[in-house]
Amino acid sequence: MHSQPRQDYISINFAGQGSGNYNNGKQWRRQSCWRKWKQLSRLQRSLILVLLFICGIASYPAVTEHLRGLTDGDQDTDANNYLRPVIPHVLPEPVKQGQLPLPEQTSQRKLSNKRGPPVLHNRLQKKGNASDPVVEENAANGKKGEEEGVISWHGAVIDTEQGTEGTKDGEIKEDSPANQKDKPTNESEGNWLEAVQQAFRHAWKGYKDFAWGHDELRPLSKSYSEWFGLGLTLIDALDTMWILGLKEEFEEARTWVATELTFNKNVDVNLFESTIRILGGLLSTYHLTGDTLFLDKAKDIGSRLMPAFNTPSKIPYSDVNIGKGTAHPPRWTSDSTVAEVTSIQLEFRELSRLTEEPQYQAAVAEVMKQVHKLDGKLDGLVPMFINTNNGQFTHQGIYTLGARADSYYEYLLKQWIQGGKKEIQLLEDYLQAIEGVKKNLLQKSSPNGLTFVGELSHGQFSPKMDHLVCFLPGTLALGAHHGLPADHMELAKQLMETCYQMYVQMETGLSPEIVHFNMHQGSNRDIDVKLADRHNLLRPETVESLFYLYRFTKDHKYQEWGWEILRNFNKYTKVPSGGYTSINNVRDPDYPSPRDKMESFFLGETLKYLYLLFSDDHNLISLDQYVFNTEAHPLPIWPSTA
Ligand code: DMJ
């Protein structure tokens, strides 16, 4: 019954706290502060006001800086970002799989990578052998699946200039628009030829950017290697540029020959290599252009090579110092290689014809005369070495159509053609040798019966065949075209098929340097490749033979085979920054293991023969008017004087 005052108390307190606690409290504090302020003396109040004023001035910059920081977050360091309020518009968009990051986003991501464990960071860069410059370049180009941490060799073949689209692992898709664009049909010869021009330009770009005036491009390290120090690639490529119609590139190279090339140098050069590449290249360029600059240079190098023939036997030494005029055999032997001393004749004979100075032709004819008479041949097949002191074959009993003997056979036929088919002894030696091949070296593989040319060592047959032997189908076909037995052409076709199989049966579609054929019944594959033989040096022999076979048969399958080979060179050996590289392993399409070297014959021969193979203009270096030296430099067949 006396509950009212209690009720009031409760009511006042409850209402005061429940409905307006904060405001009431604030009001209360305000009133209390004011009471205290009024209790201070005038002096105390003045001091407090002055102190507050000074503090306000001192804290002003920090406050403004802080406020600025809230709006300019994108200019701050990565670490500070973590401490700052997130302002949504300055954060990068998350990068989606397969999408190329914008440059700004890339830098943001790089910063965030640094925060991760260093081991992971390194692994990301090293996976797929990122120490290869090619791979690094792809990573830098943003072409690879960086998000996945996978960087594979395939990326090296993406030609950024062509704007081709890479697949996830960097391979050019079979059906990608870019691939279709330059995928020729038989009806569109133009595209086939353009593809070779493009390949040449790409190779030339690398040479020009990183190796100009030097012997060979090292496309991965973006540098060069010197062999003779004579601009070997540039000279080897001169007539290719002319034939491919690359005038601008040719003019630049011509200027270098006119202003920079000198043979007055204290360097040792290999007689054979400098004859077929330099003398041959200069002579053919002279013939194609009529420009006497090249003839003058040819005379200069030709005369400087002559000391090589000053030997007791007149069989030349392998090396000449073109500055000093001295010559010598290799340090470890007084032997020369048979193929080397018998594959310089086309060039020196032509030099004599042009200069009307007989000493060049006389020197190389003497070599042929001696080799013709020598004991130690087997049914026209020659051993691999010849002694420069006594002029006899050495290391006898080994017979091959591959390294060290190959172009002996080629030059027997080609000298006969060059001289107007009059030098019967050359022809006889050639015909006898081909019979010797058939009798001693020709076999068929199992299970598919591929015809191949093996080797003989002291009576023992070895089913080993160098890629170098693939010059033979072309040479046999050339002989048949010039009237030699029709069965030479049949053999040429069979061997051509075998050389093609040496490409298609490899995982990269590129041939190894050496293959071994199976001959045992029941073997399930025709071709084996030893680990040490799996490299491909961008060699020309197979496309060279395809060119001859197509010229003489008009069978388009040879062009198609050549096209496949060019595509695989593009796929596995093309380096994005320019140039092509030889590779170590034709059996590993994921990592063919680049060697970092573009041999001069890739421009001098391989691309030239591909272009001629794809051309249906059979007057473009007519095989009735020209004969190619062993480095693909066309020299004229001599006009008949009879
Ligand atoms: C070239 O220098 C020549 O074709 C030579 O006859 C053999 N070796 C290379 C190409 O493979």
Side-chain angles (χ1 to χ4, degrees):
M1 298 281 132
H2 297 281
S3 59
Q4 186 66 41
R6 272 182 87 175
Q7 228 180 12
D8 284 346
Y9 171 81
I10 293 168
S11 152
I12 290 165
N13 283 333
F14 185 81
Q17 287 181 1
S19 63
N21 182 33
Y22 177 74
N23 286 337
N24 287 346
K26 205 171 168 184
Q27 179 73 13
W28 178 86
R29 278 200 300 274
R30 228 180 259 148
Q31 284 171 355
S32 153
C33 281
W34 179 244
R35 261 199 306 274
K36 290 212 166 91
W37 177 255
K38 293 287 263 180
Q39 287 165 359
L40 294 174
S41 69
R42 188 177 296 236
L43 179 65
Q44 284 172 318
R45 276 191 245 152
S46 305
L47 273 172
I48 287 168
L49 284 173
V50 168
L51 269 172
L52 282 173
F53 182 70
I54 290 170
C55 286
I57 297 276
S59 63
Y60 178 73
V63 172
T64 51
E65 184 62 29
H66 178 71
L67 289 172
R68 204 182 305 135
L70 292 179
T71 52
D72 294 345
D74 54 346
Q75 291 176 10
D76 290 321
T77 64
D78 185 59
N80 284 342
N81 275 333
Y82 271 100
L83 307 173
R84 297 265 166 84
V86 173
I87 309 296
H89 77 271
V90 300
L91 283 180
E93 287 286 318
V95 179
K96 291 180 193 134
Q97 289 269 328
Q99 180 185 323
L100 291 184
L102 298 169
E104 197 182 325
Q105 292 169 342
T106 310
S107 69
Q108 292 273 0
R109 285 172 60 234
K110 271 186 190 153
L111 285 168
S112 70
N113 270 348
K114 278 186 192 159
R115 279 187 227 112
V119 177
L120 178 67
H121 185 65
N122 289 342
R123 230 185 29 221
L124 191 73
Q125 295 207 337
K126 289 224 172 84
K127 194 147 182 201
N129 196 355
S131 61
D132 288 332
V134 169
V135 174
E136 281 171 0
E137 175 150 347
N138 285 315
N141 285 344
K143 290 272 175 204
K144 301 303 303 149
E146 207 178 332
E147 292 80 15
E148 302 154 84
V150 175
I151 300 171
S152 89
W153 156 255
H154 278 304
V157 300
I158 297 171
D159 183 357
T160 49
E161 282 163 36
Q162 290 177 7
T164 53
E165 286 204 2
T167 58
K168 201 170 115 205
D169 65 354
E171 273 185 53
I172 295 173
K173 270 170 133 181
E174 286 297 311
D175 56 353
S176 74
N179 214 20
Q180 291 294 332
K181 187 186 64 158
D182 55 20
K183 185 174 187 175
T185 63
N186 285 345
E187 289 76 52
S188 58
E189 177 206 346
N191 285 346
W192 300 45
L193 297 173
E194 278 165 28
V196 184
Q197 287 170 326
Q198 250 175 34
F200 185 96
R201 283 206 175 95
H202 186 81
W204 192 247
K205 178 188 181 316
Y207 179 73
K208 203 174 149 187
D209 288 353
F210 309 121
W212 185 250
H214 298 284
D215 283 343
E216 288 143 343
L217 169 67
R218 299 184 64 212
L220 303 192
S221 49
K222 298 182 179 168
S223 60
Y224 57 84
S225 53
E226 269 337 357
W227 190 5
F228 309 142
L230 298 174
L232 204 57
T233 295
L234 188 148
I235 300 175
D236 222 357
L238 284 167
D239 57 4
T240 305
M241 288 183 267
W242 187 264
I243 291 167
L244 268 59
L246 303 175
K247 295 219 173 78
E248 214 175 282
E249 289 83 354
F250 179 84
E251 284 307 326
E252 282 174 316
R254 187 210 178 269
T255 303
W256 184 87
V257 172
T259 58
E260 306 285 330
L261 177 62
T262 172
F263 297 124
N264 189 15
K265 274 187 161 180
N266 179 14
V267 285
D268 275 356
V269 303
N270 175 282
L271 171 68
F272 164 73
E273 297 291 357
S274 51
T275 298
I276 65 169
R277 301 185 199 212
I278 299 176
L279 179 56
L282 292 168
L283 286 173
S284 73
T285 308
Y286 164 66
H287 278 295
L288 295 175
T289 63
D291 186 339
T292 53
L293 165 70
F294 300 108
L295 179 57
D296 292 342
K297 292 289 180 188
K299 285 185 211 166
D300 191 11
I301 185 69
S303 60
R304 288 172 186 275
L305 292 173
M306 287 303 280
F309 296 90
N310 295 335
T311 69
S313 66
K314 302 218 168 50
I315 300 295
Y317 290 132
S318 60
D319 297 288
V320 193
N321 186 304
I322 53 173
K324 291 187 190 160
T326 55
H328 58 88
R331 242 176 264 136
W332 58 91
T333 176
S334 54
D335 291 349
S336 284
T337 301
V338 171
E340 291 195 358
V341 300
T342 57
S343 309
I344 50 179
Q345 279 65 17
L346 292 175
E347 299 81 357
F348 279 99
R349 283 155 52 112
E350 179 59 9
L351 188 59
S352 272
R353 193 180 73 92
L354 290 172
T355 59
E356 298 181 344
E357 292 175 24
Q359 70 272 23
Y360 307 113
Q361 178 160 6
V364 294
E366 173 65 23
V367 179
M368 294 311 296
K369 196 173 116 197
Q370 289 195 38
V371 171
H372 169 74
K373 288 192 300 205
L374 278 182
D375 288 336
K377 292 184 202 160
L378 174 71
D379 301 321
L381 304 175
V382 291
M384 298 192 291
F385 296 99
I386 187 165
N387 189 273
T388 51
N389 291 324
N390 61 25
Q392 300 296 310
F393 288 132
T394 64
H395 303 88
Q396 294 192 33
I398 303 176
Y399 302 98
T400 174
L401 264 274
R404 299 204 162 93
D406 49 359
S407 43
Y408 161 73
Y409 305 101
E410 180 188 351
Y411 268 38
L412 286 174
L413 177 76
K414 288 182 172 178
Q415 286 178 80
W416 174 69
I417 294 170
Q418 179 192 41
K421 306 184 193 173
K422 294 182 190 126
E423 297 152 284
I424 299 306
Q425 202 168 84
L426 292 166
L427 175 62
E428 283 174 358
D429 285 354
Y430 175 74
L431 289 171
Q432 195 195 0
I434 298 306
E435 290 309 308
V437 170
K438 288 191 215 164
K439 182 175 164 193
N440 300 288
L441 304 181
L442 216 56
Q443 288 289 348
K444 286 200 187 284
S445 68
S446 178
N448 291 307
L450 297 174
T451 303
F452 69 94
V453 182
E455 298 184 354
L456 203 63
S457 177
H458 307 287
Q460 190 78 27
F461 181 80
S462 161
K464 164 182 178 273
M465 180 166 149
D466 294 352
H467 181 272
L468 288 168
V469 180
C470 290
F471 82 92
L472 189 58
T475 298
L476 286 167
L478 180 66
H481 173 73
H482 281 283
L484 302 190
D487 73 320
H488 285 207
M489 189 51 136
E490 286 318 303
L491 181 55
K493 288 178 186 170
Q494 289 172 26
L495 291 171
M496 191 74 262
E497 170 73 37
T498 303
C499 290
Y500 172 61
Q501 290 300 324
M502 286 163 62
Y503 282 71
V504 281
Q505 293 196 15
M506 298 302 119
E507 287 77 353
T508 56
L510 292 174
S511 171
E513 179 74 356
I514 300 170
V515 297
H516 285 76
F517 289 91
N518 277 316
M519 293 174 66
H520 312 291
Q521 296 294 326
S523 41
N524 54 10
R525 54 184 299 157
D526 293 80
I527 299 177
D528 279 333
V529 188
K530 295 192 189 305
L531 269 178
D533 302 334
R534 294 182 171 194
H535 47 292
N536 178 297
L537 305 184
L538 313 171
R539 285 197 191 276
E541 290 77 17
T542 294
V543 295
E544 169 185 352
S545 285
L546 287 171
F547 156 65
Y548 285 107
L549 269 284
Y550 179 66
R551 274 275 170 110
F552 300 137
T553 66
K554 315 266 192 312
D555 186 337
H556 286 287
K557 83 176 176 198
Y558 297 121
Q559 288 186 318
E560 279 150 20
W561 293 357
W563 175 245
E564 277 176 44
I565 292 172
L566 176 59
R567 285 181 66 196
N568 289 321
F569 277 134
N570 275 330
K571 193 168 179 181
Y572 294 106
T573 72
K574 188 173 180 180
V575 179
S577 49
Y580 289 73
T581 178
S582 44
I583 55 175
N584 278 316
N585 192 355
V586 296
R587 307 223 63 171
D588 187 349
D590 290 327
Y591 193 71
S593 179
R595 280 194 158 192
D596 196 17
K597 179 136 162 193
M598 184 174 78
E599 302 279 350
S600 80
F601 51 69
F602 183 64
L603 300 189
E605 298 193 68
T606 309
L607 293 180
K608 184 189 289 152
Y609 280 130
L610 279 166
Y611 189 84
L612 292 170
L613 166 65
F614 296 152
S615 170
D616 276 316
D617 177 3
H618 291 191
N619 290 318
L620 182 61
I621 318 294
S622 159
L623 290 171
D624 293 316
Q625 289 166 9
Y626 288 94
V627 61
F628 286 87
N629 85 341
T630 193
E631 188 75 7
H633 299 302
L635 299 173
I637 295 173
W638 296 345
S640 171
T641 48

